[in-house]
Amino acid sequence: MLRVEGLSKAFPAVQALAGVSLRFESGEVHGLIGENGAGKSTMMRILAGIERPDEGSMTLAGEPYAPAGVREAMRRGVAMIHQELNLVGDLSIAENVLLGREPRRAGWLRRRSMIEESRRWLEEVGCALDPRRELRELSVAEQQLVEIAKALSQRARVLIMDEPTAVLSERETSALFGLIRRLRADGVAVIYISHLLPEVRTLCDRISVLRDGRLVAETTAADAEPSRLASLMVGRELRDVHPPRRVVPDAPPRLRLRDLEVADRVHGVSLEVRPGEILGLAGLVGSGRTELAESVVGLRRLARGSVEVDGVPRRFASPRAALAAGVAYVSEDRKGRGVVLGMNCRENLTLATLDRYGWAFPRVGEERRSFARWRDAMGIRAPEGEASIRTLSGGNQQKVAVAKWLDARPRVLLLDEPTRGVDVGAKREIYRLIASLAEQGLACLVISSELPELLGLCHRIAVLRQGRLAGVLDAEAATEESLVHLAMGVGETPSDRESRDRGSTAA
């Protein structure tokens, strides 16, 4: 269906692709994996008409293919689901799904037809949202489902999926996999990018591995063990992805939430996090996890309840006020709240701590030294602090977003999907950094849709269901099954109950 020959692309100081040749067959799910900065997203942007290659050629169904832009790529049957959401917040869901392809009669929009058609595509991805709702009202996970529905509505022959499940729950991921298999049966060529290696192995027919802009391996899913794929991605063997779990000191809670209430989202949630503890927060999409974290730092109005930091009651009006009290929040919305794409890496890193570097006339030398320190600590792939953050891969942008708040030296750290879109090697670095911060006395709250991540990293895991606390489990005794039981409200086994009681006693 689609073939690329000798594809190369360079950006300032970065060779993103170097002579890559690949073929993507109709009726096949082709996995494309690699570390952040390996060239995956650059290749997909070229296929989707967003970028043009410096060298190389492409053919689509045997015909020369060199799209001048996204519209031409869509017309030829190539659609892309972006890792960074490509939607318009001021428009409705229906207007986003059919943007640029709205049904018209005599020049007038047929709004009823638009709503009905968009509802059909939303149902295809298992999404029951009202198409008339404004997009900005939705969570990041709900927006991701809209992005998928938008791509499907184009009836593509080649569908590119860049980290489509990064913010989806297990139930939504399962529904998406069923949809992908139906597309494969219909003859669509699906190109699937993901850092979740077991997921890639389960779903894909063939898997190609990129490293430093070059194709280093191609294999079938049956011959690809996750450990071997990880080693191919990073060029070395990876061991012990999760750091050893250290004992939490017996100390008063550093962060205490009492009966938190956020209108229609969170209902009477109480939690405690001690110095040196990593508390995980699990739950299905829409369970209130992000809304809870945002209410703590002042991004959402707290209707009722109290927040205490080291025993002192707090009610923050903004994230800046929270940061002044030692509470930092890393948002799941990297593009909207994590980084500023119009700035360089150095400016992004020090954005939350400008008072330390000088407001009106920042001390650029100090900023550069700070960026170099965090670049080394977190393995950020950027040639220098002056490089535009727009040129970095999504995973490296995520690392800068995390480092920005760590540079503020907080006492409480709230991380919402901290490894979203990050490769296995970078995940290992971030896990070890979080564990090191906890060892230094930080209280860490980690929100994640990846249950293995929570089980491997955290001391305890709290589960939200429909805005309420369903239970708190001791991570060492918990299982993915027990977490899903609580998240979905199904029955629990005696061992699950014992684990939950142990976690609640620790609370």
Side-chain angles (χ1 to χ4, degrees):
M1 179 65 77
L2 179 62
R3 182 185 293 272
V4 301
E5 296 284 350
L7 223 57
S8 294
K9 179 69 177 180
F11 297 100
V14 177
Q15 183 70 41
L17 289 174
V20 175
S21 298
L22 281 170
R23 73 186 195 284
F24 304 102
E25 308 285 357
S26 54
E28 176 187 65
V29 182
H30 191 127
L32 193 63
I33 63 174
E35 284 192 282
N36 298 124
K40 308 182 302 297
S41 292
T42 298
M43 172 172 281
M44 297 307 103
R45 288 167 64 85
I46 291 172
L47 298 183
I50 302 168
E51 302 277 359
R52 291 193 180 187
D54 298 331
E55 297 176 8
S57 62
M58 299 183 286
T59 57
L60 178 65
E63 299 291 329
Y65 177 66
V70 175
R71 187 176 292 275
E72 182 181 345
M74 289 168 54
R75 183 178 58 80
R76 296 282 299 272
V78 179
M80 180 172 178
I81 297 168
H82 295 262
Q83 178 183 352
E84 300 295 347
L85 300 175
N86 194 29
L87 303 169
V88 184
D90 291 328
L91 298 181
S92 69
I93 294 174
E95 289 167 330
N96 271 281
V97 170
L98 299 174
L99 188 62
R101 298 168 290 110
E102 300 88 346
R104 297 176 182 270
R105 178 176 293 157
W108 295 92
L109 283 178
R110 300 171 58 193
R111 293 197 175 274
R112 182 173 295 179
S113 297
M114 185 186 304
I115 291 169
E116 291 173 355
E117 184 176 351
S118 60
R119 180 176 280 119
R120 285 198 302 273
W121 291 113
L122 290 168
E123 289 173 353
E124 279 286 311
V125 299
C127 182
L129 293 170
D130 184 345
R132 293 166 294 190
R133 285 182 64 184
E134 199 171 277
L135 188 93
R136 66 173 66 255
E137 299 174 3
L138 309 183
S139 69
V140 172
E142 289 169 335
Q143 290 183 32
Q144 180 71 77
L145 292 173
V146 173
E147 180 83 66
I148 295 169
K150 174 183 174 182
L152 291 179
S153 71
Q154 298 168 28
R155 298 179 174 87
R157 293 187 290 172
V158 177
L159 183 59
I160 305 165
M161 296 183 158
D162 194 354
E163 299 285 352
T165 66
V167 293
L168 299 185
S169 69
E170 185 174 346
R171 180 177 60 185
E172 289 157 337
T173 297
S174 178
L176 178 62
F177 283 6
L179 175 62
I180 291 172
R181 292 183 178 108
R182 293 200 301 274
L183 292 171
R184 175 172 58 190
D186 290 340
V188 176
V190 179
I191 305 173
Y192 194 87
I193 301 174
S194 177
H195 288 118
L196 303 177
L197 300 185
E199 174 180 289
V200 171
R201 189 166 178 258
T202 298
L203 185 65
C204 299
D205 301 297
R206 282 189 300 129
I207 303 169
S208 297
V209 185
L210 294 183
R211 186 170 72 236
D212 298 328
R214 301 180 185 277
L215 179 67
V216 296
E218 187 168 303
T219 182
T220 63
D223 296 331
E225 287 294 330
S227 58
R228 177 171 174 263
L229 292 176
S231 298
L232 287 170
M233 285 168 56
V234 301
R236 62 189 186 280
E237 189 173 351
L238 276 179
R239 299 176 184 268
D240 303 324
V241 173
H242 294 107
R245 217 183 322 254
R246 303 187 185 277
V247 176
V248 179
D250 187 11
R254 174 140 286 167
L255 176 68
R256 174 178 281 151
L257 313 179
R258 294 182 184 269
D259 298 319
L260 257 58
E261 193 90 27
V262 179
D264 300 325
R265 294 289 185 170
V266 179
H267 310 287
V269 173
S270 297
L271 287 172
E272 295 180 352
V273 193
R274 288 182 286 170
E277 182 179 25
I278 305 171
L279 176 68
L281 194 58
L284 303 178
V285 172
S287 62
R289 298 171 305 170
T290 294
E291 290 80 2
L292 177 72
E294 290 181 344
S295 71
V296 172
V297 297
L299 281 169
R300 287 182 183 264
R301 192 175 71 83
L302 200 58
R304 188 172 65 86
S306 64
V307 176
E308 296 178 12
V309 180
D310 285 329
V312 180
R314 301 283 190 175
R315 183 68 71 97
F316 302 120
S318 68
R320 181 165 293 281
L323 190 62
V327 181
Y329 171 59
V330 180
S331 172
E332 67 170 339
D333 185 3
R334 177 167 64 225
K335 186 176 178 181
R337 290 176 174 169
V339 298
V340 181
L341 295 177
M343 291 182 171
N344 64 33
C345 297
R346 166 182 59 82
E347 292 166 333
N348 268 281
L349 178 81
T350 60
L351 198 57
T353 49
L354 279 176
D355 52 341
R356 190 194 309 163
Y357 298 98
W359 279 93
F361 302 101
R363 294 183 289 278
V364 174
E366 289 186 30
E367 287 186 315
R368 286 174 178 157
R369 285 190 288 275
S370 288
F371 176 77
R373 185 173 66 252
W374 285 111
R375 179 185 60 188
D376 295 341
M378 300 192 67
I380 300 169
R381 289 195 175 188
E384 58 180 0
E386 306 308 305
S388 171
I389 200 164
R390 193 186 299 273
T391 64
L392 270 60
S393 67
N396 282 298
Q397 290 177 5
Q398 176 73 2
K399 293 181 189 178
V400 175
V402 173
K404 173 180 70 173
W405 294 107
L406 294 182
D407 194 53
R409 302 168 191 151
R411 290 175 292 158
V412 177
L413 185 61
L414 312 180
L415 298 132
D416 197 349
E417 303 287 358
T419 63
R420 177 190 171 201
V422 171
D423 63 70
V424 63
K427 282 184 178 182
R428 184 174 182 268
E429 294 166 0
I430 291 176
Y431 294 158
R432 292 185 179 277
L433 180 63
I434 294 171
S436 172
L437 293 169
E439 191 177 356
Q440 296 169 34
L442 263 73
C444 300
L445 176 67
V446 177
I447 302 171
S448 179
S449 300
E450 294 185 41
L451 299 184
E453 177 169 275
L454 296 179
L455 290 167
L457 179 66
C458 302
H459 296 93
R460 293 182 300 131
I461 303 171
V463 183
L464 294 188
R465 182 173 69 244
Q466 296 178 342
R468 302 183 187 278
L469 185 63
V472 182
L473 303 181
D474 179 82
E476 285 192 350
T479 63
E480 290 189 48
E481 182 184 10
S482 61
L483 294 175
V484 171
H485 281 172
L486 287 175
M488 300 186 68
V490 299
E492 58 184 2
T493 67
S495 61
D496 296 335
R497 191 176 299 110
E498 180 183 345
S499 173
R500 185 187 65 183
D501 292 343
R502 188 183 300 114
S504 298
T505 300

